[in-house]
Amino acid sequence: MQLHLSTWQEIETYLKDNTGIIIPIGSTEQHGPTGLIGTDAICAEKVALGVDMNVKTIVAPTINVGMALHHTAFPGTISLRPTTLILYVQDYVTSLAKAGFRKFFFINGHGGNIATLKASFSQIYDHLESLNIPNSNQVKCSIANWFMCREVYKLAKELYGDQEGSHATPSEVALTQFVYPDHIKNAPLSEEVGKGHPIYGATNFRECYPDGRMGSNPNLATPEHGQQFYELAVKELTNSYLEFIS
């Protein structure tokens, strides 16, 4: 059940027995020469909808733009500042909390969102209590990173070893290939790829990682691999969601 494809009456009925909701969140940022700019949001949304097929819940509209300031030296990247994303998520959750939702399960596809989301949760709890919303003390937020699922990580290492890298990875590219087989990109990749550099500003990031990859070889990705990652992530996060709302 997707929020934006539902009516308000359907949501009202749902809330009589359920207060959980899944919120996919990703990013709109460069993913190397062969990765789609929407990779992080595409992956998070696909996995969220897969979890929804297993449990009776609602999936909210995907937050497509995240905290990706360090990628903004690459054309096409869109980023929110951390302070902006914190307020965005706060307003997003507050609207749903006023309606009666209490358990917010964020399925995340972008590492750069993690710290900001966790900071946002702390601010959300304080903000809701200040509004005196009934039962606001029952509001709980959780973040689940699909790419950090134990079996997903294990399979990525088995398939790609050190060539998995940490950005524009073959595992995330494979998942987008599974979702959008008509949008598979091919491009020559240099044998040498930047890796191991700390992340600072956007200009420095591009100097250290000239083609956008971070130690990865996305040419190893296949749609078949993507389906495997999808199924593993959905299985683990289905269990995580059920534990969270119980």
Side-chain angles (χ1 to χ4, degrees):
M1 187 174 181
Q2 297 181 64
L3 185 75
H4 67 288
L5 298 179
S6 306
T7 66
W8 70 263
Q9 293 98 328
E10 290 174 315
I11 302 303
E12 189 170 67
T13 299
Y14 171 88
L15 285 166
K16 292 178 180 178
D17 300 307
N18 305 276
T19 62
I21 188 166
I22 295 174
I23 304 174
I25 182 170
S27 183
T28 300
E29 64 183 44
Q30 70 83 19
H31 272 79
T34 60
L36 303 180
I37 287 175
T39 291
D40 291 341
I42 291 168
C43 292
E45 181 173 275
K46 180 65 175 178
V47 172
L49 293 175
V51 173
D52 180 47
M53 292 176 64
N54 291 336
V55 296
K56 183 182 179 182
T57 189
I58 289 179
V59 177
T62 301
I63 299 175
N64 291 286
V65 179
M67 204 302 289
L69 291 175
H70 51 293
H71 291 293
T72 52
F74 293 87
T77 296
I78 304 172
S79 180
L80 299 177
R81 291 171 293 169
T83 49
T84 304
L85 183 57
I86 287 172
L87 290 174
Y88 184 100
V89 173
Q90 175 182 298
D91 286 352
Y92 198 113
V93 170
T94 298
S95 296
L96 294 168
K98 287 180 177 178
F101 288 98
R102 293 292 177 263
K103 299 291 185 68
F104 299 88
F105 191 76
F106 287 78
I107 292 184
N108 178 47
H110 174 49
N113 288 337
I114 297 174
T116 306
L117 269 180
K118 289 181 177 180
S120 182
F121 295 164
S122 295
Q123 187 162 304
I124 285 168
Y125 302 140
D126 180 70
H127 178 66
L128 291 178
E129 288 193 11
S130 71
L131 295 178
N132 294 318
I133 295 174
N135 300 316
S136 63
N137 62 313
Q138 296 176 10
V139 169
K140 295 180 180 180
C141 301
S142 179
I143 178 174
N145 307 296
W146 79 268
F147 52 89
M148 294 178 69
C149 289
R150 185 170 63 87
E151 293 301 319
V152 167
Y153 182 84
K154 180 180 176 182
L155 179 61
K157 288 302 181 184
E158 290 176 356
L159 291 174
Y160 313 126
D162 291 340
Q163 295 187 83
E164 166 71 355
S166 56
H167 181 66
T169 63
S171 59
E172 61 183 345
V173 170
L175 183 46
T176 64
Q177 290 179 348
F178 169 60
V179 179
Y180 289 111
D182 294 334
H183 293 276
I184 295 175
K185 309 294 183 180
N186 296 291
L189 301 178
S190 61
E191 290 187 13
E192 291 190 10
V193 56
K195 57 183 176 181
H197 303 286
I199 297 175
Y200 297 111
T203 300
N204 177 263
F205 184 95
R206 183 156 181 174
E207 289 173 350
C208 294
Y209 304 102
D211 69 356
R213 294 180 294 148
M214 299 177 70
S216 63
N217 181 6
N219 277 349
L220 299 175
T222 70
E224 292 73 24
H225 291 167
Q227 182 173 359
Q228 289 180 269
F229 288 121
Y230 164 76
E231 291 173 352
L232 290 172
V234 167
K235 181 179 180 181
E236 183 167 330
L237 294 187
T238 294
N239 292 332
S240 296
Y241 177 73
L242 290 173
E243 289 176 7
F244 176 63
I245 63 172
S246 65

